[in-house]
Amino acid sequence: MPQEQYAHRSTMQTSEGPQVYKVGIYGWRKRCLYFFVLLLMILILVNLAMTIWILKVMNFTTDGMGNLRITEKGLKLEGDSEFLKPLYAKEIRSRPGNPLYFQSARNVTVNILNEKTKVLTRLVTGPQAVEAHSQKFEVKTLSGKLLFSADDNEVVVGAERLRVLGAEGTVFPKSIETPNVRADPFKELRLESPTRALVMEAPKGIEINAEAGSLKATCRTELRLESKDGEITLNSAKIKLPNLPQGSSSSAGSRQKIYELCVCPNGRLFLSQAGTSSTCQINTSVCL
């Protein structure tokens, strides 16, 4: 019986032929796969378009990005630039023929450091003042001539002429040394010390000259002209002393308008009516 069943099964398999099994993704799985592939291609295209747009907007080139250009000498910035953190550079300059601007909401500080990062020179430009901190400050011309210099010991003005345009003039708390003090043409020159003395000294002499005007010296108490080893010369066609005191006059010469200039032993001057002889001895009471 078993042999008959085996023979029957073999005859059935031979008549039906070999069976084929299908391998792959079919149905809704296949459609989902195509959808994800299409979505991925769309994302790739969008990403590529965004990248090209960013490169176009930011102006990316082989030489740099935007206003930033990379050259053989360094970096080159065109237009306005804003730095949010410190900038370290060996040299900063503008294009030939264009100005260079530094702008800040508060102040601009320039520091010069040594090898130990210690500040040697500092320049601070703030909203109220410009401050320079250094051992010495100098201003020179293009040829190298010194115009102004200042340090702890002295301030030097190397210009040929120093002009002061202030309406109230210039105040010097201490002494000043200069070979010449003069005003502009058709302007007045006034030397004044409101609460203290005014002293002018020179080893070889002091010359006061008013070529086109008068010279006036006014004081509250005494005006003294003193020469230790020389003389005092008043050289003029007319010398007027209008407020000199007069000695007592006699009744006979009351109408006389001729006076004699007398000098007291203490140097005081007074007038006395002239007579046939000197009348200074008669009016010596003025010298008391």
Side-chain angles (χ1 to χ4, degrees):
M1 184 67 182
Q3 293 180 354
E4 293 178 356
Q5 292 179 355
Y6 177 76
H8 179 70
R9 291 179 180 176
S10 299
T11 304
M12 292 178 61
Q13 291 179 359
T14 303
S15 62
E16 291 179 359
Q19 295 182 358
V20 179
Y21 296 96
K22 296 181 180 180
V23 180
I25 301 175
Y26 299 95
W28 64 272
R29 294 184 180 88
K30 184 177 182 180
R31 289 191 294 270
C32 289
L33 179 61
Y34 287 161
F35 174 76
F36 283 118
V37 171
L38 180 62
L39 181 61
L40 181 61
M41 293 178 63
I42 294 174
L43 292 178
I44 292 174
L45 294 176
V46 172
N47 190 10
L48 181 61
M50 292 294 293
T51 303
I52 296 174
W53 180 77
I54 292 174
L55 293 176
K56 185 64 176 179
V57 171
M58 299 299 294
N59 195 13
F60 277 95
T61 60
T62 57
D63 298 331
M65 178 189 69
N67 296 331
L68 180 63
R69 294 289 183 269
I70 301 175
T71 62
E72 297 179 355
K73 298 181 180 180
L75 298 179
K76 181 179 179 181
L77 288 174
E78 299 179 354
D80 298 336
S81 302
E82 182 178 356
F83 299 95
L84 302 179
K85 292 186 178 181
L87 173 65
Y88 299 92
K90 182 179 180 181
E91 182 180 359
I92 300 176
R93 62 180 180 179
S94 64
R95 292 185 300 177
N98 293 333
L100 178 62
Y101 295 98
F102 291 95
Q103 184 176 354
S104 174
R106 295 186 179 181
N107 56 21
V108 176
T109 304
V110 180
N111 294 331
I112 306 299
L113 309 178
N114 58 4
E115 295 81 3
K116 299 180 180 179
T117 66
K118 182 180 179 181
V119 179
L120 299 179
T121 303
R122 174 179 296 172
L123 177 63
V124 181
T125 58
Q128 297 180 355
V130 178
E131 299 180 1
H133 304 267
S134 63
Q135 296 181 356
K136 191 174 183 179
F137 180 75
E138 292 183 352
V139 178
K140 296 183 179 180
T141 61
L142 295 177
S143 60
K145 181 181 179 181
L146 181 65
L147 295 179
F148 181 83
S149 175
D151 55 13
D152 293 338
N153 298 324
E154 62 180 0
V155 176
V156 179
V157 179
E160 297 180 358
R161 178 182 298 180
L162 175 63
R163 299 184 61 187
V164 180
L165 303 179
E168 298 296 331
T170 305
V171 178
F172 297 96
K174 296 184 179 180
S175 62
I176 177 175
E177 181 179 351
T178 177
N180 188 10
V181 178
R182 65 180 181 180
D184 289 338
F186 308 104
K187 300 292 183 179
E188 295 183 356
L189 175 63
R190 184 174 183 179
L191 302 178
E192 180 181 11
S193 179
T195 58
R196 295 293 185 270
L198 178 62
V199 180
M200 292 186 292
E201 297 180 355
K204 293 186 178 181
I206 298 177
E207 181 180 355
I208 301 176
N209 186 14
E211 297 180 355
S214 60
L215 178 63
K216 183 179 181 181
T218 305
C219 65
R220 183 174 296 276
T221 56
E222 296 181 358
L223 177 63
R224 179 179 296 180
L225 300 177
E226 181 180 354
S227 178
K228 295 181 179 179
D229 299 329
E231 61 183 9
I232 298 176
T233 302
L234 301 177
N235 186 7
S236 177
K238 295 181 180 180
I239 298 177
K240 295 182 179 181
L241 301 174
N243 295 325
L244 289 178
Q246 298 182 10
S248 58
S249 59
S250 59
S251 58
S254 58
R255 296 181 179 180
Q256 187 177 350
K257 299 299 181 181
I258 300 175
Y259 296 91
E260 182 181 357
L261 181 62
C262 304
V263 182
C264 298
N266 58 4
R268 186 176 183 182
L269 300 178
F270 67 93
L271 298 178
S272 177
Q273 286 186 352
T276 56
S277 61
S278 177
T279 58
C280 292
Q281 299 293 332
I282 302 175
N283 298 299
T284 55
S285 59
V286 180
C287 299
L288 299 178

